[in-house]
C-alpha cells in the first residue's frame, strides 16, 4: 500500500476540475442567454450566426431606407395634390372669364387671381424638399426651375437592390403648356382676349393637369413598390433572426438540466476527494 502519491485523490481532483469547467460554461450560457459566447463554444456555429446577424442588420437598414423613401414620396405627392387643386381652380376661373356675363373688369380680376395661383404653384415646387433634397424641381429656390434628376433608393441587402423614381418638373415651366398660361396672365389683364384665346388657355391647363397626374402616378406606383419591398424585408428579417436564434441562443430547459447535473457531479466529486484523502489514513493501522 503506497501513500507517497495519492493517485485516487489526483484522479478525483482532475475530474472535479473538468466538472467545474463544464459547470462554469453552463452558468455562463444561462446568465447570458447564449449558447455561443466565444468561438471555442462552436466555431462553425459562430461563423454562421455572425453572418446571419450581419444579414439581419443589413435588412433592417434597408427597411429603414424604404420607410424613409415612403415618407419622401408622400411629401412629394401631397405637394402635387395641392398643385392639382390650384390647376382645378385656374381651369374654373378661365371658364368663368370666358363668358359675356363676366365684365372686362371682372376678367382682369380673374387674371390677377390666376397669376397669384400660378405663383403659388411655383412656390410649392421651389419649397418642397426632403432633408434638403428638392422633390419637384432640380433645386430648392426659384433659381432651380429645371427637372429633378430622379431619385434612387436602396431597399435591399445589395447595391443592386434599388428602386427609382423618374424625373419631375412640377412648375409652370415643366407642366407642358402652363408657362403660356402664366405669361398670358402675368400683366393681370385678359379682358382683351377672344373667346377662342381663352378656350386655348383652358386646353393648356388641361394638358398641364394631365402632365401633373402623370407625375403623381409615377410617385404613387413607386410608393407601392417600396411598400411591397419593405413588407418583404420585414418578413426576411424575422426569418433570419429566427435562424440566428436557433444557432446562437441557449435552450434554457436543456441547459438548466445540464447545469443541475453538473452541480450534482461537482458535489459528488468533492465528496470523492475527501474520501480519497481519508482512505490513506488506513495505512496507520499497519504501523500499530
Amino acid at each position: 500500500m503506497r501513500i507517497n502519491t495519492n493517485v485516487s485523490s489526483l484522479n478525483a481532483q482532475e475530474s472535479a476540475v473538468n466538472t467545474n469547467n463544464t459547470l462554469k460554461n453552463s452558468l455562463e450560457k444561462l446568465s447570458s442567454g447564449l449558447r455561443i459566447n466565444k468561438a471555442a463554444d462552436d466555431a462553425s456555429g459562430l461563423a454562421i450566426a455572425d453572418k446571419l446577424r450581419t444579414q439581419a442588420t443589413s435588412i433592417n437598414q434597408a427597411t429603414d431606407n424604404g420607410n424613409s423613401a415612403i415618407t419622401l414620396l408622400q411629401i412629394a405627392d401631397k405637394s402635387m395634390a395641392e398643385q392639382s387643386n390650384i390647376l382645378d381652380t385656374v381651369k374654373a376661373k378661365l371658364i368663368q372669364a370666358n363668358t359675356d356675363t363676366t365684365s372686362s373688369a371682372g376678367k382682369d380680376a380673374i387674371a390677377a387671381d390666376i397669376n397669384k395661383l400660378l405663383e403659388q404653384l411655383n412656390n410649392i415646387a421651389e419649397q418642397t424638399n426632403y432633408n434638403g433634397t428638392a422633390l419637384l424641381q432640380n433645386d430648392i429656390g426659384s433659381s432651380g426651375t429645371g427637372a429633378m434628376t430622379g431619385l434612387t433608393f436602396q431597399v435591399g441587402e445589395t447595391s443592386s437592390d434599388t428602386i427609382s423614381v423618374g424625373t419631375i418638373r412640377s412648375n409652370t415651366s415643366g407642366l407642358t403648356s402652363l408657362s403660356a398660361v402664366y405669361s398670358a396672365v402675368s400683366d393681370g389683364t385678359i379682358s382683351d382676349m377672344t373667346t377662342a384665346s381663352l378656350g386655348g388657355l383652358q386646353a393648356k391647363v388641361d394638358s398641364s393637369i394631365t402632365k401633373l397626374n402623370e407625375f403623381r402616378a409615377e410617385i404613387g406606383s413607386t410608393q407601392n413598390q417600396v411598400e411591397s419591398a419593405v413588407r418583404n424585408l420585414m418578413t426576411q428579417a424575422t426569418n433570419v433572426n429566427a435562424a440566428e436564434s436557433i444557432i446562437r441562443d441557449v435552450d434554457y430547459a436543456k441547459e438548466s438540466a445540464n447545469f443541475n447535473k453538473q452541480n450534482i457531479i461537482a458535489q459528488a466529486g468533492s465528496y470523492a476527494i475527501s474520501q480519497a484523502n481519508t482512505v490513506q489514513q488506513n495505512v496507520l493501522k499497519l504501523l500499530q
Side-chain angles (χ1 to χ4, degrees):
M1 198 171 180
R2 299 174 177 82
I3 65 171
N4 193 48
T5 301
N6 192 341
V7 177
S8 297
S9 178
L10 293 175
N11 288 333
Q13 290 177 48
E14 180 184 356
S15 296
V17 169
N18 291 333
T19 301
N20 285 334
N21 287 335
T22 304
L23 192 62
K24 180 182 69 175
N25 289 335
S26 180
L27 189 60
E28 181 182 28
K29 293 175 182 178
L30 290 172
S31 62
S32 67
L34 300 175
R35 184 181 69 86
I36 305 175
N37 291 283
K38 53 186 179 298
D41 292 335
D42 185 350
S44 60
L46 178 66
I48 296 171
D50 280 351
K51 188 173 182 180
L52 288 171
R53 176 173 290 182
T54 300
Q55 183 181 8
T57 302
S58 300
I59 291 174
N60 288 333
Q61 183 57 59
T63 301
D64 291 341
N65 287 359
N67 287 327
S68 296
I70 291 170
T71 302
L72 179 150
L73 295 169
Q74 288 175 336
I75 291 172
D77 181 57
K78 292 298 183 181
S79 294
M80 285 191 288
E82 182 57 33
Q83 288 182 322
S84 180
N85 291 335
I86 289 174
L87 292 181
D88 289 344
T89 303
V90 169
K91 174 69 181 297
K93 288 187 175 296
L94 287 173
I95 293 174
Q96 182 184 9
N98 197 23
T99 177
D100 288 337
T101 58
T102 302
S103 65
S104 294
K107 291 180 180 181
D108 289 342
I110 288 172
D113 197 8
I114 292 174
N115 185 60
K116 289 296 183 182
L117 287 170
L118 294 181
E119 282 183 5
Q120 180 55 26
L121 184 142
N122 280 336
N123 289 340
I124 292 172
E126 293 166 11
Q127 296 165 8
T128 301
N129 72 92
Y130 179 87
N131 196 26
T133 299
L135 303 182
L136 303 185
Q137 58 183 41
N138 65 346
D139 198 2
I140 302 172
S142 58
S143 60
T145 57
M148 180 266 289
T149 56
L151 302 171
T152 301
F153 318 109
Q154 181 173 337
V155 191
E157 294 181 66
T158 67
S159 59
S160 61
D161 297 329
T162 59
I163 295 174
S164 300
V165 62
T167 60
I168 294 176
R169 191 183 183 190
S170 187
N171 49 42
T172 54
S173 299
L175 293 175
T176 315
S177 305
L178 196 59
S179 57
V181 179
Y182 196 23
S183 297
V185 300
S186 60
D187 60 356
T189 59
I190 56 173
S191 56
D192 57 345
M193 294 184 67
T194 65
T195 298
S197 297
L198 288 171
L201 293 182
Q202 293 175 37
K204 293 181 186 302
V205 173
D206 285 336
S207 297
S208 300
I209 291 172
T210 299
K211 187 64 176 179
L212 181 61
N213 287 338
E214 290 175 1
F215 288 148
R216 294 192 68 188
E218 170 80 6
I219 291 291
S221 60
T222 303
Q223 181 176 335
N224 289 334
Q225 184 180 4
V226 173
E227 287 176 348
S228 176
V230 167
R231 289 193 296 270
N232 182 60
L233 287 172
M234 291 173 65
T235 301
Q236 287 185 42
T238 299
N239 292 331
V240 170
N241 284 325
E244 182 195 0
S245 175
I246 292 173
I247 297 172
R248 193 188 296 273
D249 293 348
V250 69
D251 183 334
Y252 267 91
K254 180 179 179 181
E255 197 57 44
S256 295
N258 181 55
F259 176 79
N260 289 330
K261 172 187 173 182
Q262 297 301 325
N263 198 26
I264 293 172
I265 293 174
Q267 295 177 45
S270 297
Y271 176 75
I273 292 173
S274 66
Q275 290 302 306
N277 292 331
T278 301
V279 167
Q280 295 295 341
Q281 296 176 10
N282 292 333
V283 76
L284 295 176
K285 296 179 180 180
L286 301 176
L287 300 175
Q288 293 177 353

